[in-house]
Amino acid sequence: MRPQTLAAITAAAAFAASTSAQVIWDEAIDGDLSSDHLNPTLLSFTPGSNLVFGDTSPNPNLDPDYFTMVIPTGYELSSIIFEEYVSGDDQAFFAVEVGSQITDPGSPAALLSATLIGAIPGTMQGDELLDNLQNPDIFGGFSGNLGEGTYTFWYQETANATDYGFNFVLTPIPAPASATLMLGGLLLARRRR
């Protein structure tokens, strides 16, 4: 086998391994996610699929979950899949804010975006949720994927005990078309020599 072919296969295998789903947090194993909006649980996300499983209950006290992620340079949050939703209620609250906390849950003006999830088609188990957060018609909204930086998520259910799960997918930021064409041109020029 040619060394270039072996290198390409090795690189592809390493990328595939790095993009497989990893359980980053499971409250059944790792303990309760923070209920303090000023001190959310910091989660270490990696390129690929990052699974977060939690549970909330309104009794005896309201138990919202707050967690922070840092998207590294060169990557973006390109998908949030609603992996699990087991609840006696038909909807829950899901929000994101830029930075390492949710500034004020009583006045969500600082939120980047928020949406209700669970019952409306497009927000149910198995659905993509990033597009709901991008929608300015719901609350806030933003354009495109979330790029490098720190973001805090807020999940809350006020009526019933709920088990939930999200799959946060981090992918490399695509190279601009001009850079791709330039790289292709350089490779073609080298090949002609």
Side-chain angles (χ1 to χ4, degrees):
M1 186 177 293
R2 294 177 41 196
Q4 294 90 345
T5 305
L6 181 58
I9 291 171
T10 303
F15 180 75
S18 72
T19 59
S20 62
Q22 297 182 56
V23 177
I24 302 302
W25 194 274
D26 185 341
E27 282 193 335
I29 298 166
D30 302 308
D32 196 27
L33 287 164
S34 177
S35 295
D36 180 352
H37 65 98
L38 297 175
N39 295 295
T41 303
L42 179 61
L43 302 179
S44 296
F45 285 50
T46 59
S49 293
N50 299 270
L51 299 169
V52 176
F53 295 100
D55 56 75
T56 62
S57 175
N59 297 315
N61 298 311
L62 189 61
D63 177 33
D65 284 345
Y66 301 102
F67 52 93
T68 299
M69 66 180 291
V70 177
I71 300 174
T73 301
Y75 288 87
E76 64 185 6
L77 179 65
S78 59
S79 179
I80 304 172
I81 304 296
F82 201 7
E83 290 289 331
E84 179 180 330
Y85 185 65
V86 179
S87 177
D89 194 13
D90 62 354
Q91 64 185 2
F93 179 77
F94 185 55
V96 61
E97 183 172 326
V98 175
S100 60
Q101 64 184 16
I102 297 294
T103 308
D104 182 2
S107 174
L111 293 176
L112 179 61
S113 187
T115 188
L116 295 176
I117 57 176
I120 302 166
T123 69
M124 301 187 318
Q125 183 173 331
D127 287 336
E128 170 64 59
L129 297 179
L130 188 61
D131 56 353
N132 297 87
L133 292 172
Q134 293 167 331
N135 186 348
D137 295 333
I138 298 174
F139 177 91
F142 52 88
S143 297
N145 296 331
L146 293 179
E148 72 175 271
T150 302
Y151 301 91
T152 298
F153 289 85
W154 170 14
Y155 179 89
Q156 183 169 307
E157 170 61 66
T158 59
N160 293 295
T162 301
D163 293 328
Y164 68 89
F166 298 110
N167 181 358
F168 294 87
V169 181
L170 298 183
T171 54
I173 295 173
S178 58
T180 303
L181 289 174
M182 186 173 73
L183 179 61
L186 290 173
L187 290 174
L188 183 61
R190 181 168 187 222
R191 188 174 192 186
R192 286 186 179 170
R193 286 184 184 179

